[in-house]
Amino acid sequence: MTPAVPPTSGNSGHHLRDYFLPRGMSDAEMVGLESPAVNRRKVRSAQTLYHEGEPFVFVYLVRSGTLKSSLAMADGGERVNGFYMAGELTGLDAVAYGRHASSATALDDTEVSAIPYAQLALATGNTDMQGLIARLMSREIVREHSHALLSQLRAEGRLAAFLLNLSRRLNARGYSLSEFHLRMTRADIGSYLGGMSLETVSRTFSIFQQQRLLEVNARHIHIIDRDALTRVFETHAYDDAWRKPER
């Protein structure tokens, strides 16, 4: 069962539904990207795959593990702007200006396929390949827009959406829809969800546990009542979308 996100007349709620669009690639699509020019790389936990500002050469298909995308802030901190797991492409943010707009760091031991972008750009005779890349880039644009809207919700709506989205993405790769292990820290989650403080993230997890929506054991998550968790998101997305968000 997947989280129901009903239609709504409100523009904000309509665009927030895009947060749940599929992001990954099918097994057949992943095979289609392989060629002699593609090489696989292993990235150990906490190692950086590419740095913000580096020249653009490759896009990376995650084979296993999880990557965190982040931006450097003026105060020396970072702002997390994405998480990428098996079947998903990262590095497309560099297409526009020829340099990576963010850094990608492994949250656990990760394997990627490094695909030369020139190989994709020159695939003029391969309409399937062109269509695939166009779809993936379009999904990234939609994801960024819906992510920006998500940060306007109150804490409960944001965290509910994040957990539902993550469980669907993992389920698409054959994992459980209701039980999974968080590779990212709560601080990373708060940063990704629009700058929520660690205290707010922890408090919201506690609220969900008290309401019997989740069981939480360190980073292990068990979604007990998916329908109720979906209703939390829907309530905030469609009724409270423009209230001042909690930090």
Side-chain angles (χ1 to χ4, degrees):
M1 181 175 62
T2 56
V5 184
T8 175
S9 58
N11 288 334
S12 59
H14 172 76
H15 291 300
L16 278 166
R17 285 186 296 161
D18 294 338
Y19 187 65
F20 294 94
L21 290 175
R23 292 176 54 188
M25 301 168 61
S26 68
D27 290 340
E29 289 172 331
M30 291 172 67
V31 170
L33 285 178
E34 293 287 8
S35 79
V38 173
N39 65 84
R40 294 199 180 191
R41 299 182 185 177
K42 294 185 182 296
V43 189
R44 293 194 178 276
S45 180
Q47 286 188 333
T48 300
L49 176 62
Y50 56 81
H51 292 275
E52 183 176 348
E54 278 187 3
F56 179 38
V57 179
F58 302 101
V59 292
Y60 299 91
L61 172 63
V62 182
R63 292 287 176 179
S64 63
T66 307
L67 293 169
K68 172 181 71 174
S69 174
S70 62
L71 306 170
M73 306 301 288
D75 62 3
E78 68 172 6
R79 187 182 74 195
V80 178
N81 64 345
F83 300 103
Y84 297 87
M85 55 191 65
E88 297 177 356
L89 276 180
T90 185
L92 290 171
D93 61 350
V95 172
Y97 299 108
R99 292 186 178 275
H100 287 287
S102 60
S103 300
T105 305
L107 296 180
D108 54 0
D109 289 347
T110 299
E111 184 176 20
V112 301
S113 290
I115 306 165
Y117 184 68
Q119 169 188 325
L120 303 179
L122 292 174
T124 54
N126 189 334
T127 55
D128 289 340
M129 179 72 75
Q130 287 179 315
L132 172 60
I133 298 304
R135 286 196 303 274
L136 291 170
M137 293 183 69
S138 177
R139 287 176 191 172
E140 281 300 295
I141 293 169
V142 170
R143 181 194 66 82
E144 289 181 9
H145 180 57
S146 58
H147 178 225
L149 290 174
L150 188 69
S151 67
Q152 300 299 316
L153 302 185
R154 294 178 65 83
E156 292 89 343
R158 279 184 273 175
L159 186 58
F162 174 77
L163 294 172
L164 291 167
N165 172 271
L166 188 63
S167 72
R168 288 189 70 179
R169 289 160 64 190
L170 288 166
N171 184 246
R173 308 312 306 173
Y175 297 101
S176 169
L177 188 64
S178 60
E179 290 195 56
F180 51 91
H181 188 78
L182 294 173
R183 301 300 177 184
M184 62 290 295
T185 66
R186 293 188 179 188
D188 284 339
I189 294 171
S191 177
Y192 174 72
L193 293 177
M196 285 169 54
S197 68
L198 176 60
E199 292 76 13
T200 299
V201 175
S202 296
R203 183 174 68 250
T204 307
F205 268 115
S206 295
I207 290 171
F208 287 170
Q209 288 189 89
Q210 292 165 7
Q211 295 173 340
R212 297 296 296 161
L213 305 181
L214 306 174
E215 287 180 351
V216 181
N217 182 9
R219 294 193 187 184
H220 185 81
I221 304 295
H222 177 203
I223 299 177
I224 300 171
D225 192 336
R226 189 177 190 84
D227 290 340
L229 189 63
T230 300
R231 287 194 294 273
V232 170
F233 164 71
E234 292 170 351
T235 298
H236 289 81
Y238 306 127
D239 295 340
D240 299 340
W242 304 112
R243 289 186 185 179
K244 184 178 180 180
E246 294 176 76
R247 301 297 182 191

